[in-house]
Every structure is written in C-alpha cells, then in structure tokens.
C-alpha cells in the first residue's frame, strides 16, 4: 500500500475516533482539526457543537477565534515588508512611528527584530478589556500610543519576555507603513494570497452561521456579551479562521512561504533568535514563531488561548507535516489532541486518552449552584479506586476565562467549590484574589494573593499582581 492511502486510513481509523472519544468523555463543546501530510495533502474535520444552546455542529469551515496564532500572520506581513524594503529588521521603530509619545528613552533602541522575537523590553497586557471592546478604526492606534508611553521592564534585546503589547505595537507599525487599517493590510497582504477567503481579523465579518461561540464557566456555555474581541488587541489575538483554511496556511509555510514571500525571506523568519526556557516545541523564539522539536524532528509552532477558545499550530517542516487544533472552550486537552494528530501522521499510535477532569461530572451539579452537593460529589470521586476522573484538574480551566471577561458573577460558585475541596491550592487563592480585584475589593484581593504566594512563592503572576495591588510598584 502506498504512503498516501495508508496515512488516510490512519487518520480515519485512529485519529478521528480518538478525537471523537475525547470530545465525548471530556464533555467538550467543539473541536476542529486539520492535518497536512506530504506538504500539500489536507484533511480537516469538525466535532461537537458551535454553541451548546443550539446544537449546531462544528465543521471544517467553522470559524474560531485563534488568539495568539494570530501573531504568525502579523510576523509574515512584517517579513514581507522587510523583503520589499518597506521595513528593516534592525531599524529603530521610533523612526517609523515618530508621532507616538515614547515614554522611555530606551525605546529608541527597540527594533523590528526585537518586536518580532519578544525582546523589546516591553511588559505585557494586564487587562485586555474584553468587557469594554473598542470597535472603531482608531482603537489600535490609541492602544499603541499607550504602550509607547510605558516604562520598559528591561533593556531592548536583553532577554526573552513574551509580550502581547509588543505585537499590538508591531501591528500598528504594519498598518501605519501600509497606510491602511491593520485588518485590511493583513487581509490584502496575507490572507487573500493564501486563499483564506472567510478568515478575518474583523469579528463583524464573521458570518453568523460559521462562527463558533466561546464556552465559559461550569458547565461550559456561551455567555451573552462575553467574547474575547476588541480591535485594540487585533494583532495579538483577533484572527478568526477555520480548520480548512488553516490547512492553506500550513501548506503555504511548508512550501517555503509560497505565495507570501521568497524562500530566502521565509528561511529568515524561522531563524531562532533566543532561548525561551519553555522547552520542547517552544524552546526558542524566532520571528513570530516558536522553534523546537517533536520526537527529535525540527518543529515550528504557536499556540493560542483566550477566554472561551484554545488553539495550537505545529509544523514539522522537514517531513512536510502540519497540525492545527481549534476549540471553543478552555477545558480541552489541547496538547493531547495535538500529540495524537502528530503521532498519527508519524505512523505511531495516539497516546492513551487521559482521564477527564473532575469538573466534567461536577458540572451538572454546579449548574444549579449547589456548591455543597458538588463538594460531596467531589469527595466521593476523590475516594474512588480506581479513579474515573482526575480530581486535581479542571478548576482553573473552567474559571479563568470568566474572570478575564469580568463575569465574576458566574465565577463565584466555582471559586467557592474550589476553595472547599482544594484549600491548599495556590492557584485557587490567586484566582479568587483576581476575582476580588475585578470586583473592586482591593484589600480582600491582597489577602487572597498573599495566601497564594505563601503556598507557591514561585508564582510570578500572583507575586506581580500582589505587588501592584499593595502599592509596591
């Protein structure tokens, strides 16, 4: 049997049933996968539902919010402009954006190379403002002006520090140089040449019959008015695309940037710039893409996570293989799904399916806000031998998205349950402190964050939030 039908058979007989089983056992809203083999042969499929309230199915054409995978598109546009001479990798960005109110003299040392590889010295966004979306054409420029006024956290080029804010600045730079809105520039320079006709950075352009809804909370559901979209964060986060059209994206990059840039420029885009310390797939940072390895094969990748959506994109260029996984919830085992797809393409058996998180059986009980009944069920499940669920997992995934979109009213029952059953979880104290901070209870937030840091002194996120709320910075 030839390689192609054998791979097709493995996808049909191994991968799709594996995904279908996980969607069922983990009670996931929806998942879409696309795999590419031999560089140009694409298989894509949807599982589950776009919205649990309607039951409409996910298909290969369903459009998901991709979150940070958006950055690979922005990086591609920027490298295109380097190739045409519109931008230069080592030119100071302040020269391209002289009208921004630069607040730190060191900003004059920031180059395009630094922005692309997360070495700008800029900090990151602390509140994305999903609850107060800015939808006008000036939203990105206003945010870029705010970022320009920040004091840098380190000297440009001094080290790797992932920054969504740096990519908003990069997107503004692309738009300003092109003389267009960011979204139009990306559509014309990147999406259209690859044939991604329904993909868009503008949520308003997502057809209602194609859009996946973000599922939040426990049980996961689409919450009216809660969507991770605002045009001030378009470059870092707002691309909407489908499994089928992500197949076109992977094919173009596996072909050396075909239709987008020269092979020489494409090779530059994937050159490692700095170690990240993140390991395996994300061991090094290139220009908008992570470099690493998977089972000793060279890999380039990017993942994404925003309230109600998770995504992953991995290419093994030397083998002509690619995988994209898209979900409309925060509870999917995205790494497991990715590894299963890659292993199937490599001729290996998918990994054993993991036990579902304890939040799956707890969801129907907590739907009625009966925290004590849910607590009793948790203790029964924790005592089961052999275990049927992972009693340590699920709470953080179910709650953080609600807090980030400022829907703490829906988060409190889950936070109360979490504290009851895992009182020594540093993450539960951190999340509760974060929710109190959102609700304006500053002192209560500080108390919870202090307890979080006591339990886990190495949690930089909790430490930073505590320092900020305590007035120490």
């Amino acid at each position: 049997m030839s390689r192609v039908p054998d791979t097709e058979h493995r996808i049909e007989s191994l991968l799709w049933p594996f995904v279908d089983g996980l969607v069922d056992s983990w009670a996931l809203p929806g998942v879409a996968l696309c795999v590419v083999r031999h560089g140009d042969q694409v298989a894509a499929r949807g599982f589950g539902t776009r919205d649990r309230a309607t039951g409409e199915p996910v298909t290969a054409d369903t459009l998901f919010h991709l979150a940070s995978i958006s950055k690979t598109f922005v990086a591609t546009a920027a490298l295109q402009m380097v190739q045409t001479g519109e931008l230069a990798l080592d030119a100071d960005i302040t020269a391209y954006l002289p009208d921004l109110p630069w607040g730190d003299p060191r900003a004059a040392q920031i180059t395009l190379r630094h922005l692309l590889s997360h070495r700008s010295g800029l900090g990151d966004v602390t509140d994305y403002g999903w609850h107060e979306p800015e939808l006008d054409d000036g939203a990105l420029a206003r945010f870029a002006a705010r970022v320009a006024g920040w004091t840098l956290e380190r000297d440009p080029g001094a080290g790797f520090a992932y920054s969504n804010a740096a990519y908003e600045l990069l997107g503004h730079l692309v738009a300003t140089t092109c003389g267009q809105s960011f979204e139009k520039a990306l559509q014309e320079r990147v999406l259209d040449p690859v044939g991604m006709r329904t993909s868009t950075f503008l949520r308003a352009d997502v057809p209602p019959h194609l859009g996946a809804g973000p599922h939040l909370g426990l049980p996961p559901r689409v919450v009216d008015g809660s969507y991770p979209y605002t045009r001030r964060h378009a470059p870092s986060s707002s691309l909407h695309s489908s499994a089928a059209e992500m197949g076109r994206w992977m094919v173009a990059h596996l072909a050396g940037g075909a239709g987008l840039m020269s092979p020489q420029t494409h090779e530059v885009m994937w050159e490692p710039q700095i170690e990240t310390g993140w390991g395996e797939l994300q061991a090094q940072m290139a220009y908008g893409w992570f470099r690493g390895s998977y089972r000793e094969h060279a890999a380039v990748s990017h993942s994404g996570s925003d309230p109600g959506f998770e995504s992953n994109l991995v290419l093994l260029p030397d083998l002509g293989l690619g995988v994209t996984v898209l979900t409309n919830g925060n509870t999917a085992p995205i790494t497991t799904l990715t590894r299963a797809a890659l292993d199937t393409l490599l001729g290996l058996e998918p990994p054993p399916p993991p036990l579902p998180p304890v939040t799956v059986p707890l969801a129907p009980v907590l739907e009625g806000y009966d925290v004590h009944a849910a607590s009793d069920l948790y203790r029964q499940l924790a005592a089961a031998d052999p275990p049927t669920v992972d009693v340590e997992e699920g709470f953080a995934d179910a709650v953080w998205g609600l807090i980030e979109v400022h829907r703490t009213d829906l988060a409190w029952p889950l936070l109360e349950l979490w504290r009851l059953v895992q009182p020594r979880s540093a993450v539960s104290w951190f999340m509760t402190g974060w929710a109190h901070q959102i609700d304006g209870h500053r002192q209560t937030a500080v108390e919870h964050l202090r307890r979080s840091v006591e339990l886990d002194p190495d949690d930089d996120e909790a430490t930073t939030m505590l320092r900020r709320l305590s007035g120490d910075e």
Side-chain angles (χ1 to χ4, degrees):
M1 182 178 290
S2 68
R3 291 176 63 199
V4 175
D6 180 61
T7 306
E8 291 175 351
H9 175 72
R10 290 178 58 78
I11 293 168
E12 292 290 338
S13 63
L14 291 177
L15 180 59
W16 294 157
F18 180 90
V19 179
D20 207 21
L22 270 185
V23 169
D24 181 58
S25 63
W26 282 59
L28 302 177
V31 174
L33 270 84
C34 180
V35 296
V36 177
R37 68 272 195 212
H38 311 308
D40 61 356
Q41 297 166 26
V42 179
R45 184 176 164 185
F47 303 81
T49 178
R50 295 193 297 116
D51 185 335
R52 279 186 163 168
T54 66
E56 296 171 330
V58 169
T59 72
D61 298 316
T62 298
L63 294 171
F64 290 76
H65 168 98
L66 264 59
S68 286
I69 289 179
S70 304
K71 294 179 178 71
T72 66
F73 291 76
V74 182
T76 298
L79 266 293
Q80 275 185 358
M81 297 171 75
V82 170
Q83 178 177 301
T84 60
E86 297 166 273
L87 296 173
L89 275 174
D90 292 311
D92 299 339
I93 63 166
T94 56
Y96 293 115
L97 300 169
D99 295 334
L100 290 185
W102 299 99
D104 190 318
R106 293 174 294 173
Q109 303 169 29
I110 301 174
T111 65
L112 179 63
R113 189 188 300 272
H114 293 147
L115 289 179
L116 283 162
S117 57
H118 296 284
R119 294 181 294 150
S120 65
L122 287 163
D124 207 353
V125 180
T126 56
D127 187 341
Y128 288 86
W130 307 128
H131 62 298
E132 295 177 333
E134 297 178 23
L135 307 179
D136 62 293
D137 289 346
L140 179 57
R142 289 194 300 273
F143 189 74
R146 286 175 51 191
V147 173
W150 290 0
T151 299
L152 301 186
E153 294 189 351
R154 60 190 59 80
D155 291 339
F160 169 80
Y162 192 87
S163 173
N164 289 282
Y167 264 73
E168 320 305 10
L169 197 57
L170 175 58
H172 176 63
L173 171 58
V174 169
T176 301
T177 305
C178 291
Q180 298 172 293
S181 71
F182 165 78
E183 295 89 352
K184 186 173 181 60
L186 268 289
Q187 190 75 45
E188 292 183 358
R189 289 178 174 254
V190 179
L191 299 178
D192 287 347
V194 181
M196 301 177 73
R197 302 302 182 191
T198 62
S199 299
T200 178
F201 278 85
L202 283 168
R203 188 189 173 201
D205 288 348
V206 175
H209 70 284
L210 289 181
H215 289 72
L216 300 165
L218 193 68
R221 59 197 181 279
V222 176
V223 179
D224 287 345
S226 298
Y227 195 97
Y229 179 77
T230 176
R231 288 184 69 185
R232 72 186 184 203
H233 297 309
S236 71
S237 305
S238 77
L239 179 64
H240 291 72
S241 190
S242 65
E245 293 198 351
M246 285 301 293
R248 293 179 176 271
W249 185 242
M250 291 190 287
V251 167
H253 283 286
L254 288 170
L260 293 166
M261 60 184 65
S262 71
Q264 294 78 16
T265 301
H266 191 264
E267 187 176 342
V268 168
M269 184 167 64
W270 282 355
E271 288 179 354
Q273 297 300 301
I274 192 169
E275 299 289 326
T276 65
W278 291 7
E280 200 185 25
L281 283 172
Q282 299 181 330
Q284 300 168 312
M285 192 73 226
Y287 298 127
W289 297 78
F290 288 94
R291 291 296 306 264
S293 63
Y294 183 76
R295 298 196 183 279
E296 300 184 351
H297 300 291
V300 291
S301 69
H302 213 297
S303 60
S305 179
D306 277 330
F309 293 99
E310 302 274 350
S311 57
N312 207 3
L313 163 64
V314 180
L315 303 178
L316 306 184
D318 295 344
L319 303 179
L321 303 180
V323 171
T324 297
V325 182
L326 310 174
T327 72
N328 58 341
N330 297 122
T331 57
I334 197 91
T335 300
T336 296
L337 290 165
T338 303
R339 294 181 70 92
L342 289 169
D343 286 350
T344 300
L345 295 178
L346 289 170
L348 305 171
E349 293 297 313
L355 287 175
V358 69
T359 46
V360 171
L362 292 179
V365 180
L366 202 61
E367 187 171 18
Y369 292 89
D370 193 338
V371 173
H372 291 288
S375 174
D376 290 341
L377 177 58
Y378 175 92
R379 299 183 197 287
Q380 294 174 26
L381 293 166
D385 187 16
T388 58
V389 295
D390 187 338
V391 295
E392 298 299 323
E393 295 297 325
F395 289 104
D397 290 338
V399 76
W400 73 264
L402 286 171
I403 301 174
E404 191 164 298
V405 297
H406 287 222
R407 288 305 305 266
T408 55
D409 56 310
L410 300 176
W412 285 117
L414 181 53
L415 287 168
E416 182 182 347
L417 171 63
W418 194 1
R419 289 273 309 286
L420 277 173
V421 300
Q422 295 182 7
R424 291 192 59 79
S425 166
V427 181
S428 75
W429 286 89
F430 165 70
M431 293 282 184
T432 305
W434 182 17
H436 278 298
Q437 181 259 323
I438 294 294
D439 286 351
H441 307 144
R442 185 169 179 269
Q443 187 54 44
T444 306
V446 167
E447 293 169 2
H448 283 79
L449 291 168
R450 282 178 179 154
R451 180 56 176 157
S452 175
V453 173
E454 287 174 3
L455 291 167
D456 183 5
D458 296 327
D459 187 335
D460 292 338
E461 192 172 11
T463 301
T464 299
M465 186 178 291
L466 176 60
R467 186 183 302 119
R468 188 174 67 251
L469 290 180
S470 300
D472 294 336
E473 63 173 32

